[in-house]
Amino acid sequence: MVSTATKIGNFDFDNCLMNAAGVYCMTREELAEIDASLAGSFVTKTGTLEARDGNPEPRYADTLLGSINSMGLPNKGFDYYLDYVTELQNQPNSKNHFLSLVGLSPAETHTILKQVEASDYTGLVELNLSCPNVPGKPQIAYDFETTTEILTEVFSYYTKPLGVKLPPYFDIVHFDQAAAVFNQFPLTFVNCVNSIGNGLVIDDETVLIRPKNGFGGIGGDYIKPTALANVHAFYQRLNPSIQIIGTGGVKSGRDAFEHILCGASMVQIGTALHQEGPAIFERITNELKAIMSEKGYEKIEDFRGKLNYIEA
C-alpha cells in the first residue's frame, strides 16, 4: 500500500502535501477549505504584530510560466491565526498545522514569539525570514549576522517547535554560510524557498503589478530548479535533525516527487494552488502515488534524499 504520510519533528501528517504561506490562507474560511481537502496540513498567512492591508492592487498576476506578486504582507494580525490554530488543536482528530509569523523589526518578532511561547498553542511555528515584498525592508535571511542575532535571542526564551522560511540562495558559499548559521540552533525545519525576489514581467509595454514599479516575487515553473537546488543543498549540509520543506514550482506529482528526491520531508504548493484551488491536492497526491507505485516505493522515506549523480 503506497503512503504519502510524513513527519516533521514529532508531528505526524497523513499526506506530505500542503499549501504555501500566502495562498489560500488569509481567512479562517480559506484555511478551513485546505483543512477539508486532501492536504496533510495548512500553514497560515504570515502574521505580523498588527493587521496589514498590504500593497495596492494589482499586486498579483498569473503569467505564462507562473506568477509575480508584491503583496506587502497583507494579513489579519498574528493573534487571528494563533487563535484559530489553537482552537483547532483542541478538536479531536485535528490535523497538525503550521503558524507562520514575522515582525517588521527584530523587536516585533520577539514580541510575537514570546506571546506564542506563553500561549496554549503547542504546534509548529514558521518564522518567515524571507519577506521580499515590503518596501525598504531587506530579506533577513540574506544577512547572516542579523539572522544569527535574531535566532540566538529567540532560542533564549522560545521552547516550542520552530522552523524558518528561507529565500532562495544562489551561491555555493551562501549555502555553506547559511547552513553553518542554522546548524547552531535547535530548528525543527527549514522551508526552501520563498519566491525569487524582484523579478519583472511586462505585458506589451506595461508592468503587470502596481507596487514597486512592477518588481515582485516570481513563483511557479520559473523557480522549480532554484527551489530543488536549495532543498538539496540544505539536505546535504544541515544537521539530520533539521528537516526540509520543499516549496517552489510544484504543479504535478512529478514535481513533488523531485522535491522529496532532493530531500524534502514535506512539499508546499503555491502558484498552482492559487490557479487550481484546493482540489489540486487530490490530483497531485494521486500522481505522486502513481509514480511511487511504478518505482516500487511504499513510503516517501524509501526515496527521500536519494538523488542520483552522474559519476565521472
Side-chain angles (χ1 to χ4, degrees), residues 118-190:
S119 76
D120 293 332
Y121 180 61
T122 57
L124 290 151
V125 169
E126 176 178 275
L127 176 59
N128 191 343
L129 299 180
S130 59
C131 300
N133 297 324
V134 179
K137 302 286 185 182
Q139 295 197 46
I140 300 166
Y142 284 153
D143 182 337
F144 297 128
E145 186 176 340
T146 298
T147 298
T148 302
E149 289 172 0
I150 289 173
L151 292 178
T152 298
E153 184 166 347
V154 164
F155 284 109
S156 72
Y157 60 82
Y158 197 81
T159 62
K160 297 177 179 181
L162 182 72
V164 290
K165 177 72 173 282
L166 301 176
Y169 297 98
F170 303 97
D171 197 298
I172 296 296
V173 70
H174 292 153
F175 292 134
D176 295 338
Q177 291 170 339
V181 170
F182 302 135
N183 281 335
Q184 298 174 46
F185 302 100
L187 291 166
T188 303
F189 67 90
V190 299

Side-chain angles (χ1 to χ4, degrees), residues 232 236 261 306-312:
H232 196 56
Q236 293 172 311
L261 191 67
K306 296 179 180 177
L307 180 65
N308 294 315
Y309 310 129
I310 300 172
E311 299 298 333

Side-chain angles (χ1 to χ4, degrees), residues 198-231:
N198 294 315
L200 191 65
V201 182
I202 299 166
D203 179 27
D204 191 18
E205 297 181 355
T206 306
V207 298
L208 287 187
I209 56 175
R210 183 185 303 273
K212 296 164 60 177
N213 291 329
F215 284 71
I218 299 296
D221 290 2
Y222 303 105
I223 76 166
K224 192 179 86 168
T226 297
L228 293 177
N230 277 257
V231 168

